[in-house]
Amino acid sequence: MKLLTKLPLLALLAILSFSCTTDSLDDKADAIELSLITPETKTIEVEILELINNHRASLGLNTLSDMTLVKQVAFSHTDYMVDKNEVSHANFYKRSDYLKANAGATKVSENVAYGYTSAESVVKAWLKSDGHRANIEGDYTDFDLAAEKNAEGKWYYTNIFIKK
């Protein structure tokens, strides 16, 4: 009985701990300025990108190239989520429009996540979700990722995919 009362709370926590979006979703958030900083690449970021490319290759899909501009845009959003202490796709259209104008993207999507402590755990969670898996396995050419910890040491992730 106690498990049944906690199950809805666990389901809500799972839903809020990661999310994805594509161009087709409506972004009603206020516009923000993109902070185009290129942070030093972290080991966990390299591992996530490798796991995603290994997954794509195992399905016979093209591997994706990392791209500094995509990393910069992903970092601006990850930094925003850390500052707000929330996982969101706020301002997705601003990021998408910027990448379309400056990286030659014709299609943009992103996966975000929070709290996962390893590359394997965040990629496994994304692959278990239809929407996130669709982004990972989608028709894209480039991608990159930013992972940052908040003051409590919890990880936030933004993984952006583009098609040129």
Side-chain angles (χ1 to χ4, degrees):
M1 187 71 159
K2 289 182 181 181
L3 178 61
L4 290 177
T5 60
K6 293 181 182 178
L7 196 54
L9 179 61
L10 289 173
L12 179 62
L13 181 60
I15 289 169
L16 294 176
S17 67
F18 59 87
S19 185
C20 66
T21 193
T22 64
D23 285 338
S24 63
L25 297 178
D26 186 22
D27 179 17
K28 297 182 186 210
D30 295 329
I32 61 164
E33 286 300 314
L34 288 176
S35 170
L36 295 182
I37 297 168
T38 307
E40 187 172 325
T41 300
K42 297 169 188 66
T43 301
I44 196 168
E45 294 169 335
V46 172
E47 291 170 350
I48 291 168
L49 297 177
E50 287 176 354
L51 287 168
I52 289 171
N53 266 337
N54 289 344
H55 175 77
R56 290 178 62 87
S58 76
L59 299 175
L61 300 170
N62 64 302
T63 58
L64 305 176
S65 300
D66 58 324
M67 185 178 211
T68 301
L69 185 58
V70 174
K71 181 172 188 64
Q72 291 171 333
V73 173
F75 174 74
S76 76
H77 185 59
T78 303
D79 191 48
Y80 170 87
M81 291 191 301
V82 168
D83 286 347
K84 295 288 186 184
N85 202 32
E86 67 181 30
V87 178
S88 76
H89 291 289
N91 306 300
F92 172 72
Y93 277 118
K94 183 170 182 93
R95 291 186 295 286
S96 177
D97 289 346
Y98 186 86
L99 290 167
K100 287 175 180 176
N102 295 284
T106 59
K107 180 179 170 184
V108 180
S109 69
E110 73 180 15
N111 290 344
V112 297
Y114 163 79
Y116 294 93
T117 58
S118 71
E120 294 82 11
S121 64
V122 71
V123 172
K124 281 182 183 179
W126 282 335
L127 290 173
K128 286 181 183 177
S129 160
D130 291 341
H132 298 95
R133 189 175 57 256
N135 287 342
I136 289 171
E137 297 174 358
D139 183 20
Y140 297 103
T141 56
D142 302 89
F143 71 155
D144 222 313
L145 173 95
E148 296 294 324
K149 286 184 177 180
N150 68 6
E152 292 80 39
K154 301 284 186 180
W155 285 101
Y156 285 80
Y157 306 90
T158 304
N159 186 195
I160 297 178
F161 303 83
I162 70 168
K163 179 178 182 174
K164 289 177 29 171

mmCIF file of all heavy atoms in Angstrom, residues 12-41:
data_model
loop_
_atom_site.group_PDB
_atom_site.id
_atom_site.type_symbol
_atom_site.label_atom_id
_atom_site.label_comp_id
_atom_site.label_asym_id
_atom_site.label_seq_id
_atom_site.Cartn_x
_atom_site.Cartn_y
_atom_site.Cartn_z
ATOM 1 N N LEU A 12 6.276 11.205 -11.377
ATOM 2 C CA LEU A 12 6.446 12.636 -11.630
ATOM 3 C C LEU A 12 7.916 13.010 -11.575
ATOM 4 O O LEU A 12 8.403 13.753 -12.431
ATOM 5 C CB LEU A 12 5.646 13.456 -10.598
ATOM 6 C CG LEU A 12 5.754 14.970 -10.730
ATOM 7 C CD1 LEU A 12 5.218 15.430 -12.072
ATOM 8 C CD2 LEU A 12 5.009 15.649 -9.603
ATOM 9 N N LEU A 13 8.645 12.495 -10.606
ATOM 10 C CA LEU A 13 10.068 12.767 -10.498
ATOM 11 C C LEU A 13 10.804 12.283 -11.737
ATOM 12 O O LEU A 13 11.668 12.973 -12.271
ATOM 13 C CB LEU A 13 10.644 12.110 -9.239
ATOM 14 C CG LEU A 13 12.126 12.330 -8.988
ATOM 15 C CD1 LEU A 13 12.432 13.813 -8.833
ATOM 16 C CD2 LEU A 13 12.569 11.573 -7.762
ATOM 17 N N ALA A 14 10.464 11.105 -12.237
ATOM 18 C CA ALA A 14 11.102 10.566 -13.438
ATOM 19 C C ALA A 14 10.829 11.450 -14.649
ATOM 20 O O ALA A 14 11.723 11.706 -15.451
ATOM 21 C CB ALA A 14 10.624 9.148 -13.700
ATOM 22 N N ILE A 15 9.617 11.919 -14.788
ATOM 23 C CA ILE A 15 9.254 12.776 -15.923
ATOM 24 C C ILE A 15 10.012 14.094 -15.859
ATOM 25 O O ILE A 15 10.488 14.598 -16.861
ATOM 26 C CB ILE A 15 7.730 13.027 -15.955
ATOM 27 C CG1 ILE A 15 7.016 11.744 -16.362
ATOM 28 C CG2 ILE A 15 7.372 14.159 -16.910
ATOM 29 C CD1 ILE A 15 5.516 11.777 -16.176
ATOM 30 N N LEU A 16 10.142 14.650 -14.674
ATOM 31 C CA LEU A 16 10.806 15.936 -14.525
ATOM 32 C C LEU A 16 12.318 15.842 -14.590
ATOM 33 O O LEU A 16 12.986 16.850 -14.788
ATOM 34 C CB LEU A 16 10.388 16.597 -13.206
ATOM 35 C CG LEU A 16 8.922 17.000 -13.108
ATOM 36 C CD1 LEU A 16 8.623 17.550 -11.731
ATOM 37 C CD2 LEU A 16 8.558 18.007 -14.187
ATOM 38 N N SER A 17 12.885 14.655 -14.464
ATOM 39 C CA SER A 17 14.334 14.541 -14.409
ATOM 40 C C SER A 17 14.998 14.562 -15.779
ATOM 41 O O SER A 17 16.185 14.743 -15.880
ATOM 42 C CB SER A 17 14.753 13.299 -13.630
ATOM 43 O OG SER A 17 14.376 12.145 -14.333
ATOM 44 N N PHE A 18 14.239 14.384 -16.865
ATOM 45 C CA PHE A 18 14.802 14.530 -18.191
ATOM 46 C C PHE A 18 13.703 14.890 -19.168
ATOM 47 O O PHE A 18 12.549 14.612 -18.951
ATOM 48 C CB PHE A 18 15.571 13.294 -18.648
ATOM 49 C CG PHE A 18 14.778 12.021 -18.708
ATOM 50 C CD1 PHE A 18 14.063 11.672 -19.835
ATOM 51 C CD2 PHE A 18 14.757 11.177 -17.623
ATOM 52 C CE1 PHE A 18 13.359 10.498 -19.891
ATOM 53 C CE2 PHE A 18 14.041 9.987 -17.666
ATOM 54 C CZ PHE A 18 13.341 9.657 -18.792
ATOM 55 N N SER A 19 14.115 15.529 -20.245
ATOM 56 C CA SER A 19 13.140 15.979 -21.211
ATOM 57 C C SER A 19 13.812 16.156 -22.563
ATOM 58 O O SER A 19 15.022 16.221 -22.659
ATOM 59 C CB SER A 19 12.530 17.301 -20.732
ATOM 60 O OG SER A 19 11.502 17.694 -21.583
ATOM 61 N N CYS A 20 12.998 16.245 -23.601
ATOM 62 C CA CYS A 20 13.515 16.476 -24.944
ATOM 63 C C CYS A 20 12.585 17.430 -25.665
ATOM 64 O O CYS A 20 11.458 17.649 -25.254
ATOM 65 C CB CYS A 20 13.628 15.173 -25.723
ATOM 66 S SG CYS A 20 12.044 14.402 -26.058
ATOM 67 N N THR A 21 13.075 18.008 -26.765
ATOM 68 C CA THR A 21 12.233 18.864 -27.580
ATOM 69 C C THR A 21 12.752 18.873 -29.002
ATOM 70 O O THR A 21 13.889 18.549 -29.263
ATOM 71 C CB THR A 21 12.144 20.295 -27.014
ATOM 72 O OG1 THR A 21 11.081 20.984 -27.667
ATOM 73 C CG2 THR A 21 13.439 21.064 -27.193
ATOM 74 N N THR A 22 11.865 19.276 -29.914
ATOM 75 C CA THR A 22 12.221 19.447 -31.318
ATOM 76 C C THR A 22 11.651 20.774 -31.773
ATOM 77 O O THR A 22 10.961 21.465 -31.041
ATOM 78 C CB THR A 22 11.640 18.314 -32.188
ATOM 79 O OG1 THR A 22 10.215 18.392 -32.128
ATOM 80 C CG2 THR A 22 12.109 16.950 -31.730
ATOM 81 N N ASP A 23 11.906 21.116 -33.032
ATOM 82 C CA ASP A 23 11.413 22.373 -33.577
ATOM 83 C C ASP A 23 9.907 22.522 -33.478
ATOM 84 O O ASP A 23 9.391 23.626 -33.484
ATOM 85 C CB ASP A 23 11.783 22.489 -35.067
ATOM 86 C CG ASP A 23 13.235 22.813 -35.280
ATOM 87 O OD1 ASP A 23 13.868 23.340 -34.353
ATOM 88 O OD2 ASP A 23 13.727 22.540 -36.388
ATOM 89 N N SER A 24 9.176 21.434 -33.391
ATOM 90 C CA SER A 24 7.729 21.505 -33.484
ATOM 91 C C SER A 24 7.045 21.941 -32.188
ATOM 92 O O SER A 24 5.852 22.192 -32.193
ATOM 93 C CB SER A 24 7.172 20.149 -33.910
ATOM 94 O OG SER A 24 7.455 19.183 -32.931
ATOM 95 N N LEU A 25 7.764 22.030 -31.093
ATOM 96 C CA LEU A 25 7.142 22.412 -29.829
ATOM 97 C C LEU A 25 7.100 23.924 -29.673
ATOM 98 O O LEU A 25 7.989 24.639 -30.113
ATOM 99 C CB LEU A 25 7.897 21.791 -28.652
ATOM 100 C CG LEU A 25 7.872 20.268 -28.625
ATOM 101 C CD1 LEU A 25 8.690 19.769 -27.446
ATOM 102 C CD2 LEU A 25 6.469 19.732 -28.550
ATOM 103 N N ASP A 26 6.072 24.409 -29.011
ATOM 104 C CA ASP A 26 5.894 25.835 -28.797
ATOM 105 C C ASP A 26 6.707 26.293 -27.600
ATOM 106 O O ASP A 26 6.594 25.756 -26.522
ATOM 107 C CB ASP A 26 4.401 26.120 -28.552
ATOM 108 C CG ASP A 26 4.104 27.595 -28.457
ATOM 109 O OD1 ASP A 26 4.902 28.399 -28.978
ATOM 110 O OD2 ASP A 26 3.067 27.943 -27.862
ATOM 111 N N ASP A 27 7.546 27.307 -27.790
ATOM 112 C CA ASP A 27 8.366 27.846 -26.708
ATOM 113 C C ASP A 27 7.803 29.199 -26.310
ATOM 114 O O ASP A 27 7.890 30.151 -27.051
ATOM 115 C CB ASP A 27 9.810 27.987 -27.181
ATOM 116 C CG ASP A 27 10.716 28.562 -26.110
ATOM 117 O OD1 ASP A 27 10.343 28.569 -24.933
ATOM 118 O OD2 ASP A 27 11.808 29.013 -26.471
ATOM 119 N N LYS A 28 7.229 29.278 -25.127
ATOM 120 C CA LYS A 28 6.603 30.516 -24.676
ATOM 121 C C LYS A 28 7.452 31.245 -23.651
ATOM 122 O O LYS A 28 7.011 32.194 -23.045
ATOM 123 C CB LYS A 28 5.231 30.215 -24.089
ATOM 124 C CG LYS A 28 4.299 29.638 -25.134
ATOM 125 C CD LYS A 28 2.948 29.379 -24.583
ATOM 126 C CE LYS A 28 2.165 28.685 -25.664
ATOM 127 N NZ LYS A 28 0.833 28.836 -25.747
ATOM 128 N N ALA A 29 8.680 30.800 -23.448
ATOM 129 C CA ALA A 29 9.547 31.425 -22.453
ATOM 130 C C ALA A 29 10.031 32.779 -22.949
ATOM 131 O O ALA A 29 10.092 33.050 -24.144
ATOM 132 C CB ALA A 29 10.733 30.525 -22.166
ATOM 133 N N ASP A 30 10.381 33.627 -22.011
ATOM 134 C CA ASP A 30 10.948 34.927 -22.356
ATOM 135 C C ASP A 30 12.301 34.745 -23.025
ATOM 136 O O ASP A 30 13.040 33.827 -22.703
ATOM 137 C CB ASP A 30 11.132 35.778 -21.096
ATOM 138 C CG ASP A 30 9.807 36.126 -20.451
ATOM 139 O OD1 ASP A 30 8.804 36.263 -21.163
ATOM 140 O OD2 ASP A 30 9.806 36.264 -19.221
ATOM 141 N N ALA A 31 12.624 35.639 -23.939
ATOM 142 C CA ALA A 31 13.896 35.560 -24.640
ATOM 143 C C ALA A 31 15.040 35.883 -23.688
ATOM 144 O O ALA A 31 14.908 36.697 -22.789
ATOM 145 C CB ALA A 31 13.900 36.538 -25.808
ATOM 146 N N ILE A 32 16.156 35.216 -23.909
ATOM 147 C CA ILE A 32 17.364 35.509 -23.149
ATOM 148 C C ILE A 32 18.502 35.684 -24.133
ATOM 149 O O ILE A 32 18.413 35.294 -25.289
ATOM 150 C CB ILE A 32 17.713 34.384 -22.150
ATOM 151 C CG1 ILE A 32 17.973 33.072 -22.898
ATOM 152 C CG2 ILE A 32 16.675 34.226 -21.087
ATOM 153 C CD1 ILE A 32 18.680 32.038 -22.072
ATOM 154 N N GLU A 33 19.565 36.257 -23.677
ATOM 155 C CA GLU A 33 20.753 36.379 -24.502
ATOM 156 C C GLU A 33 21.537 35.082 -24.437
ATOM 157 O O GLU A 33 21.681 34.498 -23.375
ATOM 158 C CB GLU A 33 21.630 37.535 -23.998
ATOM 159 C CG GLU A 33 21.093 38.913 -24.319
ATOM 160 C CD GLU A 33 20.954 39.152 -25.808
ATOM 161 O OE1 GLU A 33 21.888 38.833 -26.579
ATOM 162 O OE2 GLU A 33 19.895 39.638 -26.206
ATOM 163 N N LEU A 34 22.030 34.641 -25.574
ATOM 164 C CA LEU A 34 22.881 33.462 -25.588
ATOM 165 C C LEU A 34 24.267 33.866 -25.101
ATOM 166 O O LEU A 34 24.828 34.846 -25.568
ATOM 167 C CB LEU A 34 22.981 32.887 -26.999
ATOM 168 C CG LEU A 34 21.745 32.201 -27.533
ATOM 169 C CD1 LEU A 34 21.968 31.763 -28.976
ATOM 170 C CD2 LEU A 34 21.368 31.013 -26.680
ATOM 171 N N SER A 35 24.788 33.116 -24.175
ATOM 172 C CA SER A 35 26.131 33.336 -23.657
ATOM 173 C C SER A 35 27.057 32.383 -24.397
ATOM 174 O O SER A 35 27.083 31.195 -24.100
ATOM 175 C CB SER A 35 26.141 33.050 -22.149
ATOM 176 O OG SER A 35 27.455 33.044 -21.678
ATOM 177 N N LEU A 36 27.784 32.894 -25.372
ATOM 178 C CA LEU A 36 28.586 32.021 -26.207
ATOM 179 C C LEU A 36 29.999 31.874 -25.650
ATOM 180 O O LEU A 36 30.950 32.472 -26.114
ATOM 181 C CB LEU A 36 28.599 32.518 -27.648
ATOM 182 C CG LEU A 36 27.233 32.469 -28.320
ATOM 183 C CD1 LEU A 36 27.329 32.926 -29.760
ATOM 184 C CD2 LEU A 36 26.628 31.085 -28.246
ATOM 185 N N ILE A 37 30.086 31.041 -24.651
ATOM 186 C CA ILE A 37 31.348 30.702 -23.991
ATOM 187 C C ILE A 37 31.618 29.242 -24.325
ATOM 188 O O ILE A 37 30.705 28.422 -24.334
ATOM 189 C CB ILE A 37 31.206 30.880 -22.467
ATOM 190 C CG1 ILE A 37 30.924 32.345 -22.137
ATOM 191 C CG2 ILE A 37 32.424 30.364 -21.732
ATOM 192 C CD1 ILE A 37 30.493 32.570 -20.699
ATOM 193 N N THR A 38 32.872 28.929 -24.578
ATOM 194 C CA THR A 38 33.228 27.529 -24.807
ATOM 195 C C THR A 38 33.936 27.018 -23.553
ATOM 196 O O THR A 38 35.115 27.289 -23.352
ATOM 197 C CB THR A 38 34.158 27.370 -26.028
ATOM 198 O OG1 THR A 38 33.556 28.003 -27.151
ATOM 199 C CG2 THR A 38 34.391 25.900 -26.335
ATOM 200 N N PRO A 39 33.208 26.282 -22.712
ATOM 201 C CA PRO A 39 33.844 25.756 -21.502
ATOM 202 C C PRO A 39 34.793 24.608 -21.849
ATOM 203 O O PRO A 39 34.687 24.000 -22.916
ATOM 204 C CB PRO A 39 32.657 25.252 -20.677
ATOM 205 C CG PRO A 39 31.645 24.885 -21.703
ATOM 206 C CD PRO A 39 31.825 25.876 -22.828
ATOM 207 N N GLU A 40 35.693 24.313 -20.946
ATOM 208 C CA GLU A 40 36.582 23.171 -21.134
ATOM 209 C C GLU A 40 35.739 21.900 -21.188
ATOM 210 O O GLU A 40 34.804 21.727 -20.406
ATOM 211 C CB GLU A 40 37.575 23.095 -19.979
ATOM 212 C CG GLU A 40 38.631 22.038 -20.171
ATOM 213 C CD GLU A 40 39.708 22.110 -19.104
ATOM 214 O OE1 GLU A 40 40.040 23.214 -18.666
ATOM 215 O OE2 GLU A 40 40.183 21.029 -18.718
ATOM 216 N N THR A 41 36.060 21.029 -22.110
ATOM 217 C CA THR A 41 35.317 19.784 -22.274
ATOM 218 C C THR A 41 35.593 18.859 -21.091
ATOM 219 O O THR A 41 36.737 18.662 -20.688
ATOM 220 C CB THR A 41 35.704 19.089 -23.590
ATOM 221 O OG1 THR A 41 35.406 19.977 -24.667
ATOM 222 C CG2 THR A 41 34.939 17.791 -23.777
#
